[in-house]
Amino acid sequence: QSALTQPASVSGSPGQSITISCTGTSSDVGGYNYVSWYQQHPGKAPKLMIYDVSNRPSGVSNRFSGSKSGNTASLTISGLQAEDEADYYCSSYTSSSTLYVVFGGGTKLTVL
Amino acid sequence: EVQLVESGGGLVQPGRSLRLSCAASGFTFDDYAMHWVRQAPGKGLEWVSGISWNSGSIGYADSVKGRFTISRDNAKNSLYLQMNSLRAEDTALYYCAKDWFGELLGWFDPWGQGTLVTVSS
């Protein structure tokens, strides 16, 4: 069982918006602004899409946005495109034990 | 261009050891923390271990603590993972990833392409 909870799957039609949630605790998501999101296409390495809760690295489309409220972080993708179909993972810094980072279980995004 | 290239994976019997390496280029290696993240076949990402820029901070997932040892050689721009007492559940693609800062923060960018470790008799 992953430390952060994500829905197993979400779907949307081209042009629509979807939101993926990532729920943790006050020891990780709720306690720090060190939340990041990753996109992974089949057979490829993950790619950083959002860091510091809501910041986009250079080159990432502004259709991707992040936010946080309490112990839950969210990734929103607007104007869905076919190439957005992928697995998405959240992660957070954590103060638990000797761990430093925890991941969510991942969410499969299907573009209908 | 920042590049991370993992090596050292392979087929190993349960209880044996394996050492993974990650060769880094295109950035000032000793300015950044580094991590190992693994992905079992068909499963999600699992953070395995991380090491700060000067090896002053090191962390491990509970699942590997006491069996795996992370290290780095800043003179050789290289990251390592010594894996002992391997188990079938350690079978995974192991990624090397660079952090955004010198301390362990967990913003992984970029990632290598991974090296596959298969533990089986």
Side-chain angles (χ1 to χ4, degrees):
Chain A
Q1 190 171 357
S2 301
L4 305 180
T5 301
Q6 297 180 233
S9 63
V10 298
S11 63
S13 299
Q16 289 185 332
S17 294
I18 63 94
T19 297
I20 299 172
S21 62
C22 171
T23 301
T25 69
S26 58
S27 295
D28 38 67
V29 174
Y32 307 92
N33 283 334
Y34 301 148
V35 175
S36 53
W37 289 89
Y38 302 87
Q39 177 191 65
Q40 186 180 35
H41 287 110
K44 300 293 187 181
K47 174 187 176 183
L48 178 67
M49 304 301 285
I50 295 287
Y51 68 95
D52 197 16
V53 174
S54 59
N55 291 291
R56 283 186 309 277
S58 174
V60 172
S61 170
N62 59 9
R63 297 185 298 104
F64 291 83
S65 62
S67 63
K68 190 185 85 167
S69 177
N71 295 336
T72 298
S74 298
L75 172 71
T76 297
I77 309 173
S78 59
L80 270 179
Q81 299 179 0
E83 58 261 35
D84 298 333
E85 184 163 296
D87 292 324
Y88 291 85
Y89 296 89
C90 63
S91 77
S92 173
Y93 176 88
T94 176
S95 58
S96 298
S97 183
T98 59
L99 277 70
Y100 281 86
V101 181
V102 288
F103 278 100
T107 299
K108 169 67 178 176
L109 169 61
T110 300
V111 180
L112 303 170
Chain B
E1 178 194 4
V2 175
Q3 200 166 14
L4 301 171
V5 179
E6 302 92 337
S7 61
L11 174 63
V12 61
Q13 293 179 328
R16 303 299 290 267
S17 300
L18 209 58
R19 189 195 195 205
L20 305 184
S21 299
C22 172
S25 61
F27 65 101
T28 305
F29 184 72
D30 54 13
D31 278 351
Y32 297 94
M34 298 293 295
H35 300 263
W36 289 100
V37 178
R38 69 185 180 183
Q39 187 169 34
K43 302 297 184 182
L45 301 173
E46 179 188 17
W47 179 78
V48 173
S49 182
I51 185 169
S52 63
W53 67 280
N54 63 352
S55 305
S57 296
I58 289 176
Y60 298 97
D62 288 342
S63 57
V64 307
K65 203 179 307 178
R67 300 187 299 121
F68 290 11
T69 302
I70 192 172
S71 62
R72 63 189 295 161
D73 185 336
N74 287 344
K76 294 183 178 180
N77 289 350
S78 292
L79 174 72
Y80 306 100
L81 185 68
Q82 178 66 43
M83 304 186 295
N84 299 332
S85 303
L86 282 162
R87 306 167 180 168
E89 54 264 36
D90 295 319
T91 293
L93 185 63
Y94 284 73
Y95 292 104
C96 165
K98 169 185 162 292
D99 207 317
W100 266 51
F101 298 99
E103 297 301 326
L104 296 169
L105 206 63
W107 298 345
F108 308 108
D109 182 44
W111 301 56
Q113 286 305 303
T115 187
L116 182 62
V117 173
T118 303
V119 184
S120 174
S121 55

